[in-house]
Amino acid sequence: MRKFLEKKDLLVFFVFLAIVIFPFIVPKNIGNKVVVEGRDFKKILSKPGIYDIVENGKFLMKVEFTGEKVRVVESTCPLKICVKTGWVGPGGTIVCVPNEVIIYFEGKTDYDIETW
Amino acid sequence: MWSSNSNNHWITKGKIFLFSLLLLGTIGTFLVFVLFRSNEQYYELRGFALGTSVRIVVASKKINPKTIAEAILEDMKRITYKFSTTDNRSVIKKINDHPEEWIEVDEETYSLLKAAYAFAELTEGAFDPTVGGLLSLWGFVGNYENPRVPSTEEIEKELEHVGYNNILFDDENMRIKVKDGTKMDLGGIAKGYALDRARQIALSFDENATGFVEAGGDIRIIGPKFGKYPWVIGVKNPRGNDVIDYIYLKSGAVATSGDYERYFVENGIRYHHILDPSTGYPVKGVWSVTVIAEDATTADTLSTAGFVLAGRDWRRVILDFPRMGAHPMIVLEGGKVEKSNTFTLFEKE
């Protein structure tokens, strides 16, 4: 007589289960994304390149995004702290206080927030 | 394979039933786990206030967290202009512009200035809200258009007007005045106060709200992550873009003062914005001071005071601050890290 549940049946069951649960357990691939936020604008950088950040027709800064890291290449602010911050990777933030621009790299980090 | 035999037919039906039961049970358990885990959805809002970037992360089961976050940001903007040194709506500008004149103020202003005075007394002037004139002299105000190294004479002249005893209080009539030449700057306390207000605002909407608020690297916890877990806080490397330590907080606040926030370099020397109120020059020998405290006002003021004092004697900061409810970690010039024993308690989950 045939067994109630054979190995093959269990295999079918688990394959089916894996297909159903797969979308839940695989993290959504959000890709590396940089957000540049100013007083009146929000710009998403999702492709590598060098971007001019302009607000109301006024040039504020030049931002370079490699896909893995981001930096401010030049800025109109006086102390250039944003430029001196250098490259930042996922979870990193560059703040330009005089131009009121925040650049944050959305990505996975092993901490929730940073004190600086 | 599947058989048409009546006995096997029963087994097939049973199998389908069992499969369905197992599958539903597993998926059900999984969904309950997933839904339970994401029970609280965190809403995140970023903006500019208090002269720096602000990040609000909040969740509530009672109120739309967006409403809470927007109310917090709006209040932070109100605090920004109210306690600015340059905005025409600022009460501080009004007091600074009318020295030797009693200025009537509201309860919030009076309490905050009283708190600033108390922290100045507590730290024997290492934190001092009367460094406004000195900061202007160095160009560390507004948009830092013209930072420069002032002459010794200029600094000595300005130092005559620095001293928290130059702020006078009239408790009965809630009036404040400063002595001639004294310029207040609440940059070292307003951020902390705004963060404590932010938590109050969140809890006024929903007493069980959770999340955190960050302004320029200073953090106030609203409530534990998902109501029960600590928030993991990375401490920035003062000379790099990585983190050098982790803190776990379910409540309270943390603030860092560093020489890398606002600075300029002249003739190869780095001049930063944290001035020693006793000398008028940027503090030397320290890269950053991080302080954990029960509230953000304490953390903010004592991270500044801790930076100033660490430049003179870092051991005193390590030993004295825990008695004030502040747990310090100091990164000395060269990168050596010193911390109080109490600080290490927050390095574990």
Side-chain angles (χ1 to χ4, degrees):
Chain A
M1 199 175 127
R2 212 166 167 270
K3 276 199 287 183
F4 183 63
L5 279 174
E6 289 177 357
K7 275 185 187 169
K8 203 164 41 177
D9 296 329
L10 284 173
L11 189 71
V12 171
F13 173 73
F14 284 116
V15 167
F16 184 66
L17 196 67
I19 291 167
V20 171
I21 289 176
F22 187 74
F24 290 98
I25 56 171
V26 173
K28 283 173 193 162
N29 183 18
I30 52 167
N32 284 346
K33 189 173 82 172
V34 168
V35 182
V36 184
E37 214 171 319
R39 291 185 191 96
D40 301 312
F41 69 91
K42 190 169 183 175
K43 193 177 170 80
I44 311 285
L45 315 182
S46 50
K47 287 179 187 166
I50 295 177
Y51 298 84
D52 280 350
I53 306 300
V54 177
E55 186 177 54
N56 298 327
K58 189 186 160 204
F59 172 80
L60 296 182
M61 58 176 63
K62 202 180 275 292
V63 173
E64 184 179 0
F65 176 47
T66 65
E68 302 298 322
K69 50 190 182 172
V70 66
R71 69 168 174 170
V72 176
V73 181
E74 67 176 87
S75 169
T76 56
C77 63
L79 295 185
K80 318 285 181 206
I81 300 287
C82 52
V83 179
K84 289 170 190 165
T85 300
W87 292 104
V88 302
T93 307
I94 302 172
V95 180
C96 181
V97 174
N99 284 333
E100 291 195 11
V101 173
I102 313 165
I103 300 164
Y104 50 97
F105 197 128
E106 287 194 346
K108 193 166 166 52
T109 54
D110 53 1
Y111 52 88
D112 298 305
I113 187 167
E114 196 179 354
T115 179
W116 49 273
Chain B
M1 290 305 286
W2 308 110
S3 164
S4 57
N5 168 311
S6 63
N7 197 28
N8 280 351
H9 181 67
W10 179 85
I11 290 171
T12 307
K13 272 187 176 174
K15 269 187 195 178
I16 292 168
F17 179 70
L18 193 70
F19 265 49
S20 309
L21 208 65
L22 270 170
L23 197 63
L24 281 172
T26 314
I27 293 171
T29 311
F30 190 75
L31 281 177
V32 165
F33 173 73
V34 167
L35 289 173
F36 176 75
R37 204 178 52 168
S38 58
N39 201 11
E40 283 182 280
Q41 290 293 326
Y42 279 98
Y43 176 77
E44 181 164 346
L45 178 65
R46 291 190 192 241
F48 246 92
L50 308 155
T52 188
S53 66
V54 169
R55 184 180 171 204
I56 302 157
V57 173
V58 64
S60 166
K61 291 175 190 168
K62 193 172 156 188
I63 304 276
N64 184 349
K66 187 171 184 277
T67 308
I68 301 175
E70 283 172 351
I72 288 172
L73 187 60
E74 196 180 313
D75 192 63
M76 285 183 154
K77 286 182 176 170
R78 177 190 68 83
I79 291 170
T80 307
Y81 68 70
K82 184 172 179 180
F83 299 121
S84 149
T85 52
T86 51
D87 196 295
N88 285 330
R89 293 165 290 181
S90 163
V91 63
I92 298 303
K93 184 176 187 302
K94 191 177 175 186
I95 298 169
N96 284 346
D97 288 351
H98 299 88
E100 301 293 349
E101 257 182 62
W102 284 111
I103 307 290
E104 268 185 52
V105 297
D106 63 0
E107 202 177 323
E108 183 184 46
T109 307
Y110 203 78
S111 307
L112 185 61
L113 282 170
K114 274 273 179 174
Y117 190 93
F119 278 110
E121 267 189 321
L122 183 71
T123 60
E124 294 166 10
F127 165 79
D128 196 314
T130 62
V131 291
L134 271 178
L135 288 168
S136 297
L137 203 56
W138 283 89
F140 289 120
V141 287
N143 278 345
Y144 328 123
E145 297 291 350
N146 299 302
R148 68 184 184 95
V149 183
S151 68
T152 314
E153 292 74 30
E154 282 177 299
I155 288 174
E156 277 172 7
K157 199 177 163 198
E158 196 55 57
L159 278 176
E160 290 171 15
H161 305 296
V162 175
Y164 58 95
N165 285 323
N166 292 342
I167 312 172
L168 303 168
F169 296 89
D170 172 6
D171 286 346
E172 207 166 300
N173 302 300
M174 235 159 58
R175 296 186 306 173
I176 290 166
K177 76 172 174 182
V178 289
K179 289 185 182 169
D180 197 20
T182 295
K183 301 282 182 196
M184 289 193 290
D185 185 303
L186 297 191
I189 190 170
K191 204 159 63 174
Y193 168 70
L195 288 172
D196 286 331
R197 275 274 309 162
R199 178 175 174 271
Q200 281 175 354
I201 290 167
L203 299 188
S204 70
F205 278 101
D206 175 3
E207 61 185 11
N208 295 314
T210 66
F212 62 80
V213 185
E214 182 242 318
D218 290 4
I219 299 155
R220 180 66 161 109
I221 306 295
I222 295 171
K225 191 174 184 178
F226 300 122
K228 55 184 173 181
Y229 303 111
W231 291 100
V232 184
I233 300 164
V235 180
K236 182 184 162 57
N237 179 350
R239 290 294 183 272
N241 287 317
D242 53 338
V243 300
I244 54 167
D245 203 359
Y246 296 90
I247 301 167
Y248 298 85
L249 287 185
K250 286 186 180 179
S251 64
V254 59
T256 298
S257 290
D259 69 352
Y260 47 84
E261 291 172 55
R262 291 167 199 174
Y263 68 91
F264 63 94
V265 178
E266 199 170 292
N267 298 326
I269 301 169
R270 174 192 283 242
Y271 296 97
H272 61 84
H273 78 299
I274 307 174
L275 307 174
D276 184 332
S278 67
T279 65
Y281 283 89
V283 175
K284 283 182 184 169
V286 200
W287 281 351
S288 76
V289 171
T290 298
V291 165
I292 301 168
E294 279 292 304
D295 62 84
T297 308
T298 304
D300 191 18
T301 50
L302 294 189
S303 68
T304 308
F307 194 97
V308 172
L309 291 169
R312 301 176 196 164
D313 181 2
W314 62 263
R315 286 176 190 83
R316 195 183 146 195
V317 178
I318 296 292
L319 294 173
D320 286 358
F321 271 39
R323 282 203 301 268
M324 303 176 197
H327 314 288
M329 170 177 154
I330 303 167
V331 182
L332 296 164
E333 192 174 43
K336 193 167 188 285
V337 177
E338 300 288 349
K339 46 185 117 168
S340 70
N341 286 335
T342 54
F343 188 93
T344 59
L345 298 172
F346 299 94
E347 293 176 312
K348 302 175 188 103
E349 267 191 79

